Amino acid sequence: MWLHHPRTVKMKEMLFDSKLLGDVNYIYSTSTTSASPEFFENDIRVKGNLDSLGALGDLGWYCLGAVLWAKNYQLPTVVTALPDVTTNSDGVIVSFSASIQYKEPSSSGATTNAIIHCSFLADTSMDLNITGSKGSLNLNDFIIPQRESSASFEFTLGAKFLDLHIGWNVKPERVVVNCDELPQEGLMVEEFTRIVAGIRTTPGVLPDPKWPEISRKTQMLVDAVKKSVDLGCKPVYF
């Protein structure tokens, strides 16, 4: 849903349209929530015979999708689950971390590394931090904004230490984006309605391939992390 928020549009302008942050070098994303005992007892997401992907299929979808978004949906070179995987008695993943690496150098010669952490065992976090060759972008509520009416993020450009390392030469700049018309959930439904209406009213028109492609690539990363876990946290190459 966060892809439909106007804040995401604004961040995209900074990352891709203006190249304000330069080439993306590092991405860090978390999605954690402290689930209740009732959740672990009854929820479909932690049942081995139901939605057996657990935190990976639920929380991991957002973090892996954020990595793809930050790389303009370029697939990585290698995905590796880190050895901090926690499973329940059904063998369902309830907490994990993963490394996603892009080993093909960017125009500046740098590669991109990403780390994600997702868990049903930690306090709520929804962090997305992107570091580029010219600046960085940070927000701590990227999946569900803390306020429905507006959302914000911070970016820093050309940060350096002052003499004697007693501070920074710049402070992060906060950008606030209003969401006056509809919340992101409503905007998602509106987009779906637009696509369906276009198909129904225009004979021969095929669905917009954008969203199926995003879903397919995100699922590919989810599957790669799961395969890495099953292999004992060995790398999975694309």
Side-chain angles (χ1 to χ4, degrees):
M1 292 178 290
W2 71 280
L3 294 174
H4 301 272
H5 198 285
R7 173 177 62 179
T8 308
V9 176
K10 184 64 176 178
M11 293 191 299
K12 178 180 179 294
E13 291 175 1
M14 296 184 64
L15 273 176
F16 308 124
D17 299 343
S18 68
K19 288 289 185 180
L20 193 62
L21 302 183
D23 294 322
V24 174
N25 301 133
Y26 182 72
I27 306 159
Y28 174 73
S29 182
T30 70
S31 179
T32 62
T33 183
S34 182
S36 66
E38 291 77 17
F39 175 91
F40 286 113
E41 182 68 26
N42 301 312
D43 198 276
I44 185 176
R45 287 167 286 186
V46 291
K47 297 297 182 182
N49 61 340
L50 296 173
D51 185 1
S52 59
L53 289 174
L56 171 58
D58 181 12
L59 308 177
W61 181 273
Y62 297 102
C63 292
L64 291 168
V67 172
L68 285 169
W69 175 83
K71 290 294 292 181
N72 207 16
Y73 292 98
Q74 175 188 350
L75 287 171
T77 308
V78 58
V79 171
T80 310
L82 302 183
D84 65 343
V85 180
T86 302
T87 59
N88 65 7
S89 58
D90 275 358
V92 175
I93 297 170
V94 295
S95 182
F96 77 97
S97 302
S99 166
I100 300 95
Q101 295 177 289
Y102 291 80
K103 294 191 175 182
E104 182 178 343
S106 64
S107 59
S108 65
T111 57
T112 304
N113 295 307
I115 295 290
I116 68 165
H117 176 68
C118 304
S119 178
F120 290 140
L121 305 175
D123 195 36
T124 300
S125 71
M126 297 179 178
D127 299 328
L128 178 58
N129 304 317
I130 302 170
T131 302
S133 56
K134 299 178 182 178
S136 61
L137 182 151
N138 305 280
L139 59 158
N140 58 12
D141 60 347
F142 85 97
I143 301 171
I144 301 175
Q146 294 167 354
R147 295 182 179 180
E148 186 176 277
S149 59
S150 66
S152 65
F153 63 92
E154 291 186 344
F155 73 93
T156 307
L157 299 177
K160 299 183 183 300
F161 296 129
L162 296 175
D163 290 344
L164 303 180
H165 290 196
I166 59 173
W168 291 29
N169 65 329
V170 294
K171 293 182 179 180
E173 182 173 337
R174 185 167 180 256
V175 178
V176 178
V177 180
N178 292 323
C179 191
D180 298 324
E181 297 181 4
L182 290 171
Q184 61 183 11
E185 294 82 0
L187 293 171
M188 179 181 68
V189 173
E190 188 175 68
E191 171 71 358
F192 178 73
T193 303
R194 181 193 66 80
I195 294 171
V196 173
I199 297 170
R200 294 184 64 181
T201 58
T202 308
V205 170
L206 296 175
D208 186 343
K210 172 185 175 181
W211 298 110
E213 185 70 4
I214 288 174
S215 297
R216 183 182 70 86
K217 289 185 175 181
T218 306
Q219 188 63 52
M220 288 174 69
L221 263 63
V222 169
D223 293 343
V225 174
K226 182 61 167 64
K227 183 176 181 180
S228 178
V229 170
D230 293 342
L231 292 173
C233 298
K234 292 183 179 180
V236 174
Y237 293 89
F238 281 81

